[in-house]
Amino acid sequence: MREAYHGELDEIRDGLVELANLVGSSMGLATTALLDADLGLAESVIATGEKLDDLQRDLENRAVAVLARQQPVARDLRVVVTSLRMSADLERCGVLAQHVAKLARMRYPARPVPRDLRRTVLEMGQLAQRLMAQAAEVVVTEDVDAALQLEKDDDRMDELHRVIFQHLMDDRWQHGVETAVDVTLVGRYYERFADHAVSMAQRVVYLVTGELTPDMPT
Amino acid sequence: MREAYHGELDEIRDGLVELANLVGSSMGLATTALLDADLGLAESVIATGEKLDDLQRDLENRAVAVLARQQPVARDLRVVVTSLRMSADLERCGVLAQHVAKLARMRYPARPVPRDLRRTVLEMGQLAQRLMAQAAEVVVTEDVDAALQLEKDDDRMDELHRVIFQHLMDDRWQHGVETAVDVTLVGRYYERFADHAVSMAQRVVYLVTGELTPDMPT
């Protein structure tokens, strides 16, 4: 009995990792679609949205089923509750990747990101995907140091976000208001995506140490 | 025993309602601070952030404690899991109200919202607060019709959000890029706030009917 039950917890964890990887890939592909005005790629990212929803719902249902059938306590209970929260984080990340892909589609054939911000947005997209891969790893390894490192790596996202704002607020901005609005929203999507990855890592820290990290991302 | 346990569920529900009301008030006050460039009011909203965090954490701890001690099943289990999700919704809403207040503080003594969008932003702020009050009511009454009505009322938020974009994309926009960025973000804060209120109502529908509504807000 105990073995079957821990098998279920393992399956939930595997589901989280699978979803995290898919969501990370979606954000990476959406970034390429945005930067290259690649309509086909944007459409294919948008098309995976439903699959992500199904996976996420399945994961939640499995977590609730474990609560109902196994009535876990102590650490096992915390594992399940944490999984529910991570699953919600991943749901939002999937939606954020969709937002990036939908912007690419909406502006097609134009490229919403001006040339002088291309490198910054590319780095944001890659960093978002990398932070999510790290978060997935932390879910498996429960390595507290790696989780804290992820928080530090997220500082770079904040820097990149500031770079975008500096461009926007510069008097020499020549790309008009529509592009300013697009870039503002895109910057926020990446930042929120990264926040969710950090939040997942922090939940693992809480699971392992029982301590809340003082600054949950906003 | 059973009575004490249901008392705990009632307390969790009361906590959700209290938090929803505080978060709604915060968004209302933050809106006034933003529109009137009222620094004192902005500061006082920002100062309540910690209280909201404490309440939210307390609520979560109580929900997890019920899971651990009472091992609820069936509907009671769904009530607790739903409470955890709503608590996360409310946490985000509190952060969004803080974002509005912090923008007011950052731009003080300037007013980031141009005069021709003042009425729209005022309506967004009021609607956000009203939707949250409705969500709190639905949590208490579990009235499915009221929950579905809330979803319809949220359509107005989408309309107002479109009004903002129309202004931003209009060639006659004369308020510069910084204001465009501010207004873009503010619009998104209200829209996300309202989405969380809708999401709370949908969770109540799920609790009562066992049916997921097809379109969770994005």
Side-chain angles (χ1 to χ4, degrees):
Chain A
M1 180 63 177
R2 185 166 166 80
E3 246 175 46
Y5 161 28
H6 278 261
E8 284 185 66
L9 293 185
D10 288 345
E11 273 175 34
I12 289 173
R13 197 193 51 203
D14 292 347
L16 282 171
V17 170
E18 186 192 358
L19 189 54
N21 289 337
L22 280 173
V23 155
S25 300
S26 282
M27 195 47 133
L29 295 172
T31 304
T32 304
L34 184 75
L35 293 174
D36 295 349
D38 184 334
L39 183 61
L41 190 55
E43 294 282 13
S44 84
V45 171
I46 294 164
T48 59
E50 226 165 287
K51 187 183 169 194
L52 294 181
D53 284 351
D54 289 346
L55 278 173
Q56 194 264 341
R57 202 159 292 170
D58 183 51
L59 200 54
E60 279 200 7
N61 288 339
R62 272 191 283 167
V64 175
V66 168
L67 287 177
R69 282 201 311 262
Q70 313 289 357
Q71 312 198 322
V73 292
R75 188 190 142 90
D76 289 345
L77 174 59
R78 281 200 285 159
V79 167
V80 179
V81 170
T82 302
S83 301
L84 277 171
R85 289 177 183 148
M86 289 186 181
S87 158
D89 283 319
L90 290 170
E91 184 184 17
R92 277 308 300 162
C93 288
V95 170
L96 291 166
Q98 296 273 311
H99 282 346
V100 172
K102 284 175 183 171
L103 182 64
R105 181 172 69 179
M106 184 165 69
R107 296 293 178 233
Y108 177 85
R111 294 170 195 226
V113 176
R115 211 174 298 169
D116 51 354
L117 277 172
R118 184 186 164 89
R119 194 158 53 94
T120 306
V121 170
L122 177 62
E123 191 179 339
M124 286 179 113
Q126 291 183 340
L127 182 57
Q129 194 175 354
R130 222 158 53 230
L131 291 172
M132 189 51 79
Q134 282 172 253
E137 237 180 77
V138 167
V139 168
V140 176
T141 61
E142 300 194 350
D143 178 340
V144 170
D145 291 334
L148 297 174
Q149 183 59 46
L150 198 160
E151 255 180 276
K152 278 187 210 133
D153 294 345
D154 178 54
D155 291 347
R156 178 67 185 151
M157 187 63 92
D158 297 335
E159 266 176 53
L160 292 167
H161 205 201
R162 274 195 295 276
V163 169
I164 286 198
F165 276 107
Q166 279 158 10
H167 273 257
L168 285 165
M169 298 306 167
D170 192 311
D171 291 338
R172 286 163 298 174
W173 177 265
Q174 292 171 343
H175 310 291
V177 171
E178 180 175 289
T179 299
V181 169
D182 287 347
V183 166
T184 300
L185 289 175
V186 164
R188 181 133 182 98
Y189 298 152
Y190 289 116
E191 196 208 13
R192 290 291 305 141
F193 188 99
D195 283 346
H196 284 291
V198 170
S199 154
M200 288 174 66
Q202 288 175 331
R203 294 185 207 285
V204 172
V205 173
Y206 174 64
L207 194 63
V208 174
T209 67
E211 279 170 32
L212 286 170
T213 51
D215 298 307
M216 290 293 283
T218 56
Chain B
M1 182 59 180
R2 184 166 165 83
E3 247 175 44
Y5 160 28
H6 278 261
E8 283 184 67
L9 293 186
D10 288 346
E11 273 176 34
I12 290 172
R13 198 193 50 202
D14 292 348
L16 281 172
V17 170
E18 186 192 358
L19 189 54
N21 289 336
L22 280 173
V23 155
S25 301
S26 281
M27 196 46 133
L29 295 172
T31 304
T32 304
L34 184 75
L35 293 174
D36 295 351
D38 184 333
L39 184 62
L41 190 56
E43 294 282 12
S44 83
V45 172
I46 294 164
T48 59
E50 227 165 286
K51 188 183 168 193
L52 294 181
D53 284 351
D54 290 346
L55 277 173
Q56 194 264 339
R57 202 159 291 171
D58 183 50
L59 200 55
E60 280 200 5
N61 288 339
R62 272 191 283 166
V64 175
V66 168
L67 287 177
R69 283 202 311 263
Q70 312 290 356
Q71 312 198 319
V73 291
R75 188 187 141 92
D76 289 344
L77 174 59
R78 281 199 285 159
V79 167
V80 179
V81 170
T82 302
S83 302
L84 277 170
R85 289 176 183 150
M86 289 185 181
S87 159
D89 283 318
L90 290 169
E91 183 184 17
R92 277 308 300 163
C93 288
V95 170
L96 292 167
Q98 295 273 312
H99 282 345
V100 173
K102 284 176 183 171
L103 181 64
R105 180 172 71 180
M106 184 165 68
R107 296 292 178 232
Y108 176 84
R111 295 171 195 225
V113 176
R115 211 174 298 170
D116 50 353
L117 277 173
R118 185 186 164 88
R119 194 158 54 92
T120 306
V121 170
L122 176 61
E123 191 179 339
M124 285 179 114
Q126 291 183 341
L127 181 57
Q129 195 174 354
R130 222 158 53 231
L131 290 172
M132 190 51 78
Q134 282 172 254
E137 237 181 77
V138 166
V139 168
V140 176
T141 60
E142 300 194 349
D143 178 340
V144 170
D145 290 334
L148 297 174
Q149 183 58 45
L150 198 160
E151 253 179 277
K152 277 185 211 135
D153 294 346
D154 178 54
D155 291 346
R156 177 69 185 150
M157 186 63 92
D158 297 335
E159 266 176 55
L160 292 166
H161 204 203
R162 273 195 296 275
V163 169
I164 286 198
F165 276 108
Q166 279 158 10
H167 272 258
L168 285 165
M169 298 307 167
D170 192 313
D171 291 338
R172 287 163 298 176
W173 177 265
Q174 292 172 342
H175 310 291
V177 171
E178 181 176 289
T179 299
V181 169
D182 288 348
V183 166
T184 300
L185 289 175
V186 164
R188 180 133 183 99
Y189 299 151
Y190 289 116
E191 196 209 13
R192 290 292 305 142
F193 188 99
D195 282 347
H196 285 290
V198 170
S199 151
M200 289 173 65
Q202 288 175 331
R203 294 186 206 285
V204 172
V205 173
Y206 174 64
L207 195 62
V208 175
T209 66
E211 278 170 33
L212 287 170
T213 50
D215 297 308
M216 291 293 284
T218 56

